[in-house]
């Protein structure tokens, strides 16, 4: 192609030239066949030669040349068939083999020589060795890359079925002691290796011919032609007599020598991958050392990583063969060898190469401890390389290296787990077992990258949930939990929290913290801890608190509630055991409530009174149920705290109302036996209620607090007082609609109390109903209100209570 | 001459002994056609019969004697009239007298020396022929018959390969090797061309066989070069370290043995010309003389052994 005119021939021109050439091939082949039909071999050969002369062109692109080549080859098959017949008619092929060599031009001469030589070899097996040698040698005369490649391809394709595929021993075994045997596998190997070497040289040479500005086009053309070179390797792989020994001692050294010495990136990369693909796994296993050793010697432009990965992946997928024990060590040392010898290799490639080694480890090393040890050693060497290459800079998540490293780090934790279990707690367990894993995270990655790993660990645990199969050996020890939370989860539990924007926290931050809080629950689920190991659970909870507390207000807001709930749950469990099972249960419970109290107080620092209030109430309710001697005092204390938060910190109207309702509900639910404790709350509630700003809320809150003065048997006068107060407040409303609504609500509320006959209450109801009826004349009831009213009336009717005066 | 012959009324036929078994050989005639004549070797006896047939039977043909000659001569085309006979043997067949009837004479030139090979070149011809002359007063009746002589050589005692390194400084260095320096006419030239340095863009390489014929001596020397064979041996540009094979069968080409200073009249020498052509069609070449010789064939022995047999029959 070097001789093509400076301008690239346009497609049109190409097509025209190709058509011309194909036309000539057609004409000449027609004449050739006519002559063959009439038995005029000499003339037929002349036409064949003319036809082949078309292949002398240097005007065609590789693609067009290929088309032309195929057309010529097709026609040469006719010649071959004819010559076979000729032989059967008694013609001496040796003479013919000489005769075609008079052709003055080398291209037609060699194509014809190969064609005749093939027939010669087919009909006279004894000639094979010499003819093969001669043909492959004579082809040296074509030094033009494109023409040479196709000529040698013709040679290789023509000879494919007659290459000797027997060993010397097999021939000797036949025992007929022929002096001129028809060749052995050695002859075939020599033939192909030589042809391969020559083709590769031609192929490589293409790169260096012509203008530099055509480099891209040339590389493209070279890629189009690579199959021609690779076919040599395919052919070798198809020879059955090549056993492991022969491959190791003859075939591979020959190929590698050529590949390494050609010093051409495109060729080296293609041929090494080709080697991996065409030969069986067993062969690769025996020849890892030389193969990998050669990889280290390839030119810098070769992406060695692809080759290594292809090899490792291929072996990782291999079935039915026993891999040697030291395979990992070989890979490992050769990879570091390659990294050493190629200082320009980019970090991404190194990482992905190490990654494939991990992949191999996971798939092929069955012994658990050995596997973990191996993965650790890969992690360690990766860590070393990164440290060396990055010069203390951390790898940023948003770079290519970062992405590659993330992928790499996920490998051992998403796949490297026992029993094929790749989810649940197992990845976390694995991340802790691998000694270097956290170092790698902490030493060379930026926070964001580390966070991605943390999140993926948490997600994998939470995605499979607590319904997962329990595997006891996967459970974490307390120490592991502490390390995991404090070190691996560092990006979530430590550091500066983002600034609030318009009072809103960053969405991602919130999601992360919620994930963390879910994980706390997960840690206390049966997946992670035995259901009855309450002491351990307590240790987990308090450890968590210790680790999470420094995270700051914005974080504990999300994580502490989880701790509180888990603690309360734990207290209940202790109380269920009672003193028979656990003599110290009450002390433990008390301790838990102290812990809860501290936790909520600490939480209160972070400006979330609503949450703290609810948690206190929850604690109060919980404490009231555990059956401790001190339970009412405890509950009292928690409620008091809730009330004081209500009084001091909750100011938003709606929030105040709903908090108050909660407090009232909690007090009612706790149902203090000690009047001493109950009374102050009961009397305080209506007061607090009447301090609410909106009247309807006042009414509703007072109505609720009225229930504090009633129990199953009595309705205290205070309750009636409350109701009266409500009616009074309702009457004072300006808005008639609202007034009527409140009346109906009050009436409905009273129905809660009618089971106890109370004359005063009945009077109240009658008055109220009168007012309702009165109002109804003026205001049209809304549908829902009408419904509520009717339901109330129906209920009273069913209780045989008449509101008629 | 035929007119004269007709008038004189006698035809001469020369019939060589053992002609039916003798091989024929081809040689170019002056006008470029190919003639086939009987083939003889040096030292072989040339014998046969001369038949004289009278055109008009019964008419007397008087003559001054009848002779048969064996002649080897060199004709230089530049010097038409002058034929240089290097070999001339005469036998008288009849004394002067009258021929009354058709007559037949036997003749024999025993173990004739035929030192040179028959040759037809561009400027020179070397031929052997038998001439029968009926000497007459006015015009002789003459009949000539060409034969061809091949000179055979035995295997050269010294036949070292030709090896040579040539080049243009900083541009092209090659080393070539031809397996022999002396080839017989059916031989194969086997060689290799190594490229030690290639800084020019070579397009192809060919080898040519050139025949150099020189005639005359001194200032009157004529040189004639003729390319007998042109044979492409490489397509495309090699790189340093490449070695290109050469194999050229000689049997298919019209070659003669190398002839040196034949009778001080002419020489025919052969050269191998290795030519490299670059992309600008510049030609780089190196000529190297090879000696060609004719190897005796197996059939030669048959002929020799048959010759005495046939004479025995006689």
């Amino acid at each position: 192609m070097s001789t093509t005119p400076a301008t690239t021939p346009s497609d049109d021109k190409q097509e025209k030239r190709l058509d011309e050439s194909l036309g000539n091939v057609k004409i000449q082949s027609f004449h050739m066949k006519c002559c063959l039909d009439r038995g005029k071999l000499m003339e037929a050969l002349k036409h064949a030669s003319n036809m082949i002369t078309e292949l002398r062109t240097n005007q065609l692109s590789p693609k067009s040349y290929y088309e032309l080549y195929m057309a010529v080859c097709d026609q040469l098959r006719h010649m071959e068939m004819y010559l076979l017949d000729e032989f059967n008619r008694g013609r001496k092929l040796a003479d013919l083999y000489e005769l075609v060599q008079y052709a003055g031009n080398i291209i037609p001469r060699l194509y014809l020589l190969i064609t005749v030589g093939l027939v010669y070899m087919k009909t006279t097996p004894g000639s094979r060795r010499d003819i093969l040698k001669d043909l492959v040698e004579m082809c040296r005369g074509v030094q033009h890359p494109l023409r040479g490649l196709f000529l040698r391809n013709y040679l290789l394709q023509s000879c494919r079925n007659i290459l000797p595929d027997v060993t010397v021993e097999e021939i000797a075994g036949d025992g007929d002691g022929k002096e001129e045997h028809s060749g052995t596998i050695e002859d075939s190997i020599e033939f192909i290796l030589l042809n391969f070497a020559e083709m590769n040289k031609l192929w490589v040479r293409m790169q260096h011919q012509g203008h530099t500005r055509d480099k891209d086009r040339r590389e493209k053309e070279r890629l189009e032609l690579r199959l021609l070179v690779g076919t040599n390797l395919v052919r070798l792989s198809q020879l059955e007599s090549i056993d492991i020994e022969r491959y190791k001692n003859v075939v591979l050294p020959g190929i590698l020598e050529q590949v390494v010495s050609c010093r051409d990136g495109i060729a080296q990369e293609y041929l090494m991958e080709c080697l991996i693909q065409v030969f069986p796994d067993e062969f690769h296993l025996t020849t890892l050392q030389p193969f990998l050793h050669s990889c280290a010697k390839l030119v810098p432009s070769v992406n060695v990583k692809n080759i290594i990965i292809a090899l490792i992946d291929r072996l990782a997928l291999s079935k039915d063969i026993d891999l040697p024990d030291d395979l990992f060590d070989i890979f490992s040392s050769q990879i570091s060898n390659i990294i050493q010898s190629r200082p320009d290799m980019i970090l991404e490639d190194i990482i992905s190469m190490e990654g494939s080694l991990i992949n191999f480890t996971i798939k092929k090393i069955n012994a658990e401890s050995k596997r973990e040890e191996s993965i650790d050693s890969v992690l360690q060497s990766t860590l070393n390389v990164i440290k060396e290459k990055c010069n203390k800079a951390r790898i940023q998540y948003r770079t290519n290296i970062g992405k590659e490293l993330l992928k790499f780090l996920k490998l051992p934790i998403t796949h490297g787990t026992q029993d094929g279990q790749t989810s649940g707690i197992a990845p976390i367990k694995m991340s802790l077992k691998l000694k270097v894993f956290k170092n790698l995270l902490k030493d060379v990655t930026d926070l964001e990258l580390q966070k991605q790993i943390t999140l993926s660990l948490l997600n994998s645990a939470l995605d499979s949930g607590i319904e997962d199969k329990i595997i006891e050996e996967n459970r974490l020890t307390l120490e592991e939990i502490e390390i995991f939370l404090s070190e691996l989860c560092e990006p979530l539990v430590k550091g500066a929290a983002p600034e609030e924007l318009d009072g809103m926290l960053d969405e991602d931050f919130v999601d992360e913290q919620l994930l963390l809080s879910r994980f706390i629950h997960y840690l206390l689920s049966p997946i992670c801890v035995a259901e009855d190991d309450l002491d351990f659970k307590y240790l987990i909870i308090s450890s968590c608190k210790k680790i999470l507390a420094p995270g700051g207000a914005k974080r504990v807001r999300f994580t502490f509630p989880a701790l509180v709930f888990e603690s309360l749950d734990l207290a209940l469990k202790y109380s269920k055991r009672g003193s028979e099972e656990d003599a110290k249960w009450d002390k433990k419970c008390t301790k838990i409530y102290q812990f809860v109290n501290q936790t909520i107080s600490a939480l209160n620092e972070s400006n979330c009174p609503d949450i703290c209030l609810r948690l206190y109430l929850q604690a109060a309710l919980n404490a009231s149920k555990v059956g401790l001697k001190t339970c009412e005092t405890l509950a009292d204390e928690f409620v008091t705290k809730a009330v004081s938060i209500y009084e001091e910190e909750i100011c938003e109207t709606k929030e105040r109302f709903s908090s108050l309702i909660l407090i009232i509900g909690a007090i009612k639910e706790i149902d203090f036996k000690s009047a001493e404790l109950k009374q102050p709350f009961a009397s305080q509630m209506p007061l607090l209620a009447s301090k609410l700003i909106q009247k309807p809320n006042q009414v509703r809150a007072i109505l609720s607090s009225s229930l504090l003065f009633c129990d199953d048997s009595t309705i205290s006068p205070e309750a009636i007082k409350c109701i009266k107060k409500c009616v009074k407040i309702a009457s004072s409303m300006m808005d008639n609609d609202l007034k009527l609504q409140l009346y109906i609500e009050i009436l409905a509320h009273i129905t809660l109390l009618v089971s106890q006959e109370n004359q005063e209450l009945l009077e109240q109801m009658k008055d109220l109903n009168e007012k309702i009826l009165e109002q109804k004349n003026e205001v049209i009831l809304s549908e829902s209100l009408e419904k509520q009213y009717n339901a109330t009336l129906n209920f009273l009717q069913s209780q045989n209570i008449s509101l008629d005066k | 001459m035929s007119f004269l012959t007709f008038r004189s009324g006698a035809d001469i036929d020369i019939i060589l002994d053992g002609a039916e078994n003798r091989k024929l050989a081809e040689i170019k005639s002056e006008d470029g056609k190919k003639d086939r004549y009987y083939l003889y070797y040096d030292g072989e006896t040339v014998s046969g019969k001369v038949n004289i047939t009278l055109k008009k039977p019964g008419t007397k043909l008087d003559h001054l004697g009848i002779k048969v000659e064996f002649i080897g001569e060199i004709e230089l085309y530049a010097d038409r009239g002058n034929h240089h006979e290097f070999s001339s043997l005469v036998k008288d067949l009849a004394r002067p007298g009258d021929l009354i009837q058709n007559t037949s004479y036997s003749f024999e030139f025993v173990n004739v020396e035929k030192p040179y090979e028959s040759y037809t070149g561009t400027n020179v011809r070397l031929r052997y022929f038998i001439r029968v002359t009926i000497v007459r007063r006015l015009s002789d009746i003459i009949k000539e018959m060409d034969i061809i002589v091949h000179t055979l050589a035995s295997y050269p005692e010294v036949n070292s390969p030709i090896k040579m390194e040539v080049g243009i400084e900083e541009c092209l260095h090659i080393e070539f090797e031809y397996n022999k320096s002396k080839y017989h006419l059916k031989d194969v030239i086997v060689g290799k061309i190594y490229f030690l340095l290639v800084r020019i863009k070579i397009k192809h390489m060919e080898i040519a066989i050139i025949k150099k014929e020189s005639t005359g001596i001194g200032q009157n020397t004529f040189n004639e070069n003729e390319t007998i064979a042109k044979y492409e041996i490489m397509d495309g540009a090699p790189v340093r370290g490449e070695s290109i094979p050469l194999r050229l069968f000689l049997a298919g080409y019209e070659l003669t043995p190398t002839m040196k200073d034949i009778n001080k009249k002419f020489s025919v020498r052969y050269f191998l010309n290795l030519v490299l052509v670059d992309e600008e069609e510049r030609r780089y070449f190196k000529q190297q003389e090879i000696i060609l010789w004719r190897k005796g064939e197996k059939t030669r022995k048959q002929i020799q052994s048959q010759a005495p047999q046939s004479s025995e029959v006689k």
Side-chain angles (χ1 to χ4, degrees), chain B residues 61-242:
Chain B
L61 182 76
D62 61 331
H63 60 85
L64 300 175
I66 301 171
K67 59 177 179 181
V68 59
E69 291 165 288
F70 178 89
I71 297 168
E73 65 169 30
I74 296 169
E75 268 174 61
L76 293 166
Y77 299 158
D79 185 13
R80 275 281 165 186
N82 236 338
H83 290 185
H84 304 273
E85 291 185 2
F86 55 85
S87 172
S88 178
L89 300 170
V90 188
K91 292 246 155 109
D92 284 333
L93 295 176
R95 294 173 171 265
D98 295 336
L99 278 178
I100 320 162
Q101 56 180 21
N102 295 349
T103 318
S104 189
Y105 305 97
S106 292
F107 68 91
E108 184 173 32
F109 298 101
V110 183
N111 299 338
V112 197
E113 213 178 292
K114 308 178 206 67
Y116 311 126
E117 169 125 354
S118 300
Y119 173 74
T120 309
T122 325
N123 292 320
V124 66
R125 179 154 79 138
L126 188 152
R127 63 187 279 252
Y128 291 90
F129 58 95
I130 294 159
R131 182 161 63 201
V132 175
T133 313
I134 304 173
V135 187
R136 300 191 66 197
R137 195 159 301 153
L138 281 174
S139 58
D140 296 347
I141 301 172
I142 299 169
K143 174 72 179 186
E144 289 181 0
M145 183 192 209
D146 278 74
I147 61 164
I148 291 177
V149 170
H150 281 174
T151 52
L152 298 178
S154 50
Y155 274 98
E157 277 170 26
V158 184
N159 199 354
S160 48
I162 299 175
K163 237 182 181 173
M164 191 168 275
E165 196 183 321
V166 290
I168 307 163
E169 206 162 332
E170 293 299 305
C171 189
L172 179 71
H173 273 275
I174 63 171
E175 191 184 296
F176 61 80
E177 184 180 335
Y178 307 136
N179 58 339
K180 301 176 195 169
S181 48
K182 296 168 184 164
Y183 294 94
H184 63 79
L185 298 178
K186 300 278 163 67
D187 218 342
V188 190
I189 300 177
V190 176
K192 257 190 186 324
I193 293 92
Y194 302 95
F195 285 82
L196 303 172
L197 176 78
V198 191
R199 293 250 172 89
I200 50 172
K201 288 182 176 171
I202 296 171
K203 208 164 70 177
H204 61 98
M205 174 167 69
E206 61 192 29
I207 196 150
I209 303 173
I210 294 172
K211 183 171 95 175
K212 294 192 177 179
E213 178 189 292
S214 60
T215 50
I217 338 162
Q219 287 189 328
N220 298 325
T221 308
F222 291 91
N223 285 314
E224 198 65 46
N225 291 356
E226 188 189 347
T227 302
I228 305 287
K230 211 169 135 180
Y231 196 71
E232 187 186 26
I233 55 173
M234 185 184 75
D235 170 32
V239 294
R240 217 182 106 191
E242 239 15 287

Side-chain angles (χ1 to χ4, degrees), chain A residues 101 106 109 134 143 147 205, chain B residues 231-232 235 242 247 252:
Chain A
Q101 294 187 54
I106 188 161
R109 176 162 76 236
D134 190 50
Q143 292 289 322
R147 296 197 282 273
R205 205 180 293 166
Chain B
Y231 196 71
E232 187 186 26
D235 170 32
E242 239 15 287
R247 182 163 65 215

Side-chain angles (χ1 to χ4, degrees), chain B residues 10-64:
Chain B
D11 287 335
I12 304 171
D13 285 315
I14 303 168
I15 293 150
L16 292 169
D17 287 341
E20 61 276 13
N21 289 322
R22 185 161 289 277
K23 258 183 101 177
L24 290 162
E26 272 185 352
I27 195 159
K28 256 198 311 192
S29 67
E30 245 178 285
D31 52 11
K33 274 191 234 154
K34 278 184 180 160
D35 294 327
R36 289 168 73 79
Y37 300 120
Y38 290 109
L39 173 64
Y40 282 84
Y41 297 101
D42 183 27
E44 253 188 308
T45 299
V46 179
S47 62
K49 234 180 231 170
V50 175
N51 294 333
I52 298 173
T53 316
L54 296 175
K55 287 271 171 73
K56 295 176 190 163
T59 316
K60 183 177 74 173
L61 182 76
D62 61 331
H63 60 85
L64 300 175

Side-chain angles (χ1 to χ4, degrees), chain A residues 765-778:
Chain A
M765 286 165 77
K766 285 182 178 168
D767 285 353
L768 204 54
N769 196 33
E770 215 168 289
K771 284 182 175 148
I772 292 170
L773 294 172
E774 207 173 287
Q775 283 290 326
K776 257 177 80 175
N777 295 332
E778 293 170 33

